[in-house]
Amino acid sequence: MKIKKNSIRLAPTDLGKHLSCRHLTGLDYLRAKGERKPQLPVLPLAETLQRLGEKHEADYVEHLKRSGRQIVQIRKPDEKVRDAELLAATVVAMKQGAEIIYQGALADDLFFGLPDFLRRMDEAGKPTGPDGFYRYEVLDTKLSRETRAGSVLQLAVYSHMLAQTQKSDLPARMIVVQPGGPDNAFQEDVYQTAHFSAFYRQVRARLVGSVAALDGGPLETEPDPVEHCNLCLWRADCYRFWKDADHLSLVAGITRLQRRVLVENGIETLAALAKLPVPLPQSFELKRGTMASLLRSREQARVQDRGRTELYFET
Ligand code: SF4
């Protein structure tokens, strides 16, 4: 996410991040406005994964070259080129029918991004798109064997921007290139674009709505732990919030559902859970989940709470 001269530019990854955590969208918005910075600017795990991802992408480029594919690279490393120039160069490459466009640029009224690869679907010399465009489909290299919702959303926004740029129908397919495959090189995970369009539009609308609400308004969300926290740049900031609030998420192994049930019953901190009488008061409403698992978390909270003031081990 970037804000320049009061105009916002969203990145395709903002969709997946918003899907994981609304609070993250708020923090990224404040960062883009220059009002907040993450306490830890670099997360070693995220950096390592990024390096491995870049290697996977570079290996795929080599694989394409060895297979004799013609590659036109739009954005070159260490080259400072304006977004508008990248977009224009991508359009030229699509009209000329480059077989593979590597690091091209696509945009619409809100999003700008560089899809890893655009692959020509038409035969050379036979463009079938409007205005002399060759038709393309979007490929993204991903290390993970399991494609996540965020990756599909990324491919979907690229596919929609591609259709808009070419004034054509949506490309039928979108493809994740993963390690592995029959020759132990790469395998393609193919998704039908139309199957994910409604999901993409829904998440996009939610993201755009959140950003609009943040424009001039306060940050109203609070951090709530999710899987993405492990890779999130704001992890240290959110952990500080949880620690200061003695947040229920500090209880090891507690689930989101249990936290919700506890908050509904007025138990909002680790200390309060540790002191919850057992058996639970009659007024306690357990609308979801099981009593046994809730009591396990209560016991865990008790052990952790006691360990804060004395050296204490359960035997
Ligand atoms: S650390 Fe977790 S809760 Fe905080 S912004 Fe990131 S994903 Fe959201």
Side-chain angles (χ1 to χ4, degrees):
M1 189 185 304
K2 286 184 183 158
I3 299 177
K4 271 190 202 160
K5 296 183 191 154
N6 283 336
S7 151
I8 190 151
R9 266 255 149 125
L10 296 172
T13 49
D14 289 328
L15 286 164
K17 289 203 271 181
H18 185 70
L19 188 68
S20 297
C21 175
R22 276 182 58 217
H23 188 62
L24 172 51
T25 301
L27 293 174
D28 280 351
Y29 178 83
L30 294 177
R31 186 185 191 202
K33 279 183 82 181
E35 294 178 5
R36 201 158 162 179
K37 277 187 185 164
Q39 284 180 30
L40 291 178
V42 177
L43 205 64
L45 175 61
E47 250 199 345
T48 305
L49 287 177
Q50 188 182 342
R51 258 203 317 277
L52 290 171
E54 284 166 1
K55 180 174 182 316
H56 173 50
E57 183 182 309
D59 287 348
Y60 185 60
V61 171
E62 286 310 309
H63 166 78
L64 290 172
K65 283 182 185 165
R66 277 199 307 276
S67 322
R69 311 298 289 267
Q70 177 227 359
I71 301 174
V72 172
Q73 183 169 3
I74 303 294
R75 199 201 61 166
K76 315 246 170 27
D78 307 325
E79 208 179 72
K80 286 219 164 174
V81 183
R82 290 186 14 248
D83 293 351
E85 291 173 55
L86 295 173
L87 289 166
T90 306
V91 167
V92 169
M94 286 196 286
K95 285 199 166 176
Q96 288 176 343
E99 196 177 0
I100 306 279
I101 300 174
Y102 176 41
Q103 293 267 301
L106 293 170
D108 63 17
D109 54 334
L110 271 176
F111 282 83
F112 173 86
L114 306 171
D116 289 348
F117 301 94
L118 299 172
R119 182 165 66 189
R120 195 185 71 213
M121 293 147 62
D122 291 330
E123 273 179 53
K126 295 182 183 168
T128 61
D131 292 340
F133 271 112
Y134 283 81
R135 290 185 191 273
Y136 283 83
E137 59 189 3
V138 183
L139 284 78
D140 213 19
T141 46
K142 290 278 178 246
L143 269 181
S144 169
R145 296 289 171 96
E146 269 175 46
T147 301
R148 291 166 186 265
S151 307
V152 173
L153 285 169
Q154 220 170 309
L155 283 166
V157 68
Y158 282 135
S159 298
H160 280 76
M161 292 196 291
L162 176 61
Q164 193 172 317
T165 305
Q166 298 195 316
K167 299 180 191 69
S168 64
D169 298 338
L170 271 179
R173 313 179 324 158
M174 40 194 204
I175 294 142
V176 177
V177 180
Q178 300 166 328
D183 55 355
N184 211 21
F186 298 94
Q187 66 178 14
E188 295 190 356
D189 212 1
V190 178
Y191 295 86
Q192 301 303 310
T193 315
H195 293 178
F196 295 92
S197 286
F199 173 54
Y200 154 65
R201 287 200 186 93
Q202 192 188 45
V203 179
R204 179 182 173 120
R206 272 181 6 213
L207 170 61
V208 171
S210 285
V211 170
L214 284 160
D215 190 12
L219 178 60
E220 285 181 341
T221 49
E222 283 186 0
D224 195 29
V226 289
E227 199 187 336
H228 185 72
C229 295
N230 294 327
L231 295 173
C232 183
L233 211 53
W234 297 98
R235 189 179 153 82
D237 305 68
C238 293
Y239 183 73
R240 165 72 60 84
F241 172 91
W242 294 322
K243 203 157 176 291
D244 290 348
D246 195 26
H247 200 265
L248 283 171
S249 61
L250 298 176
V251 179
I254 197 166
T255 64
R256 180 181 273 234
L257 182 73
Q258 287 171 347
R259 291 201 312 265
R260 202 174 305 157
V261 167
L262 289 164
V263 170
E264 282 166 5
N265 283 277
I267 312 291
E268 299 195 357
T269 63
L270 184 152
L273 177 56
K275 291 178 186 63
L276 186 65
V278 178
L280 299 189
Q282 287 213 328
S283 57
F284 194 97
E285 282 190 87
L286 184 67
K287 289 187 191 152
R288 294 174 290 269
T290 67
M291 182 61 76
S293 64
L294 191 74
L295 289 180
R296 269 198 301 277
S297 288
R298 186 263 178 206
E299 178 56 11
Q300 177 62 34
R302 188 189 67 77
V303 171
Q304 285 181 234
D305 190 46
R306 195 164 165 192
R308 297 199 271 210
T309 51
E310 58 187 277
L311 197 55
Y312 173 65
F313 299 100
E314 283 283 297
T315 52

